[in-house]
Amino acid sequence: MFEKVDALKEELNKATAITQEELEQYRMRFISRKSVIADLFNDFKNVPNDQKKGFGAALNDLKTLAQEKFEKLIDGLSSDNDENDENIDLTLPPLPGTLGSLHPLSKVRNRIIQIFERIGFNVSDGPEIEDDWHNFTALNFPPNHPAREMQDTFFIHKGKDRVDDDQDILLRTHTSNVQIRLMQHTKPPIRSIMPGRVFRNEAISARAHCIFHQVEGLYVDTNVSFKDLKDTLYHFAKEMFDKDLKIRFRPSYFPFTEPSAEIDISCLICKGDGCNICKYTGWVEIAGSGMVDPNVLENCGIDSEKYTGFAFGMGIERIAMLKYGTNDLRLFTENDVRFLSQFKGVI
Ligand code: DAH
């Protein structure tokens, strides 16, 4: 026992630590809770009673010695580092730091807001977790109507599972829910855009994602006409992309607008030659739109005899892909810095 203590004393006296690793090795061997010294303390109970006093003192000495030596080794290491510090040239210019930048989707959303704010639209917000009424029924999707299948929905609760309510609760499938909330709580004139995140139960591919972003637009007042809708969206497309862009309105169907139209612009990626983004047609859809169906106005307590309105909705990812020539939607959510860093300084 006593020889062991003497041997350890000798060993720790000789110990050196030039690197952090060596210091750590020393700590593990002599200081840590699993050190050889800790082992000896654990064995103390096996020491014959008549030797306990002498051995205890020797052990305590060893422990103090190990601790003192450890502090010396730490001092030695840090003063070595101090010496190294003298070799640092403080006059050298610093390495340039890497600055972050806004995500391309944030840039596009901000630009959309800016364009519409300049023509008198404000910005509204609404919930991502929504009830069936605001996401579907109020927008003129009758219960069990096949139009509901246009949007694959993530349900959170089926109505019948809940005692307090018989409505389904879901992740909103579009930002059109905000139109409804806005019209319920605001008297016309209403002129607002509503950016936000939406969710659909879709397989992820270069062209589709289960989480994406939309901007909804709504203008309700007396005498709002289809011409106002066309003027507004022409203005938007030209500001967003290119003054010489070609735009077309294509008749379409949405339950909440009548008449309805989809808005296409000439493909900016292939310039009309045909590519996977425009499905080789030379045109890409950027928004759905139409005159707010009188039923929808009435569902929200707005007099459809007195007021008319137009609405539109567009995908932010889609606009970003066209604006930046990106051909895979997934790049926006993978957050690979090599992709994102290309947007520094880009508007
Ligand atoms: N909510 C539609 C969708 O997600 C987009 C849309 C189309 C919104 C026409 C509108 C509209 O406000 O008028 O596919």
Side-chain angles (χ1 to χ4, degrees), residues 151 173-176 179 200 214 216-217 254 256-257 288-290 311-314:
Q151 304 179 352
T173 56
H174 51 185
T175 41
S176 304
Q179 274 190 42
R200 291 200 197 164
Q214 287 186 335
E216 192 81 9
F254 299 102
F256 35 93
T257 43
S289 70
F312 58 87
M314 58 186 126

Side-chain angles (χ1 to χ4, degrees), residues 4 15 36 64 71 82 185 191 301 316 318:
K4 224 178 192 175
V36 278
T64 319
E71 278 152 26
D82 288 350
H185 300 113
R191 216 188 279 142
I316 298 186
R318 169 59 68 94

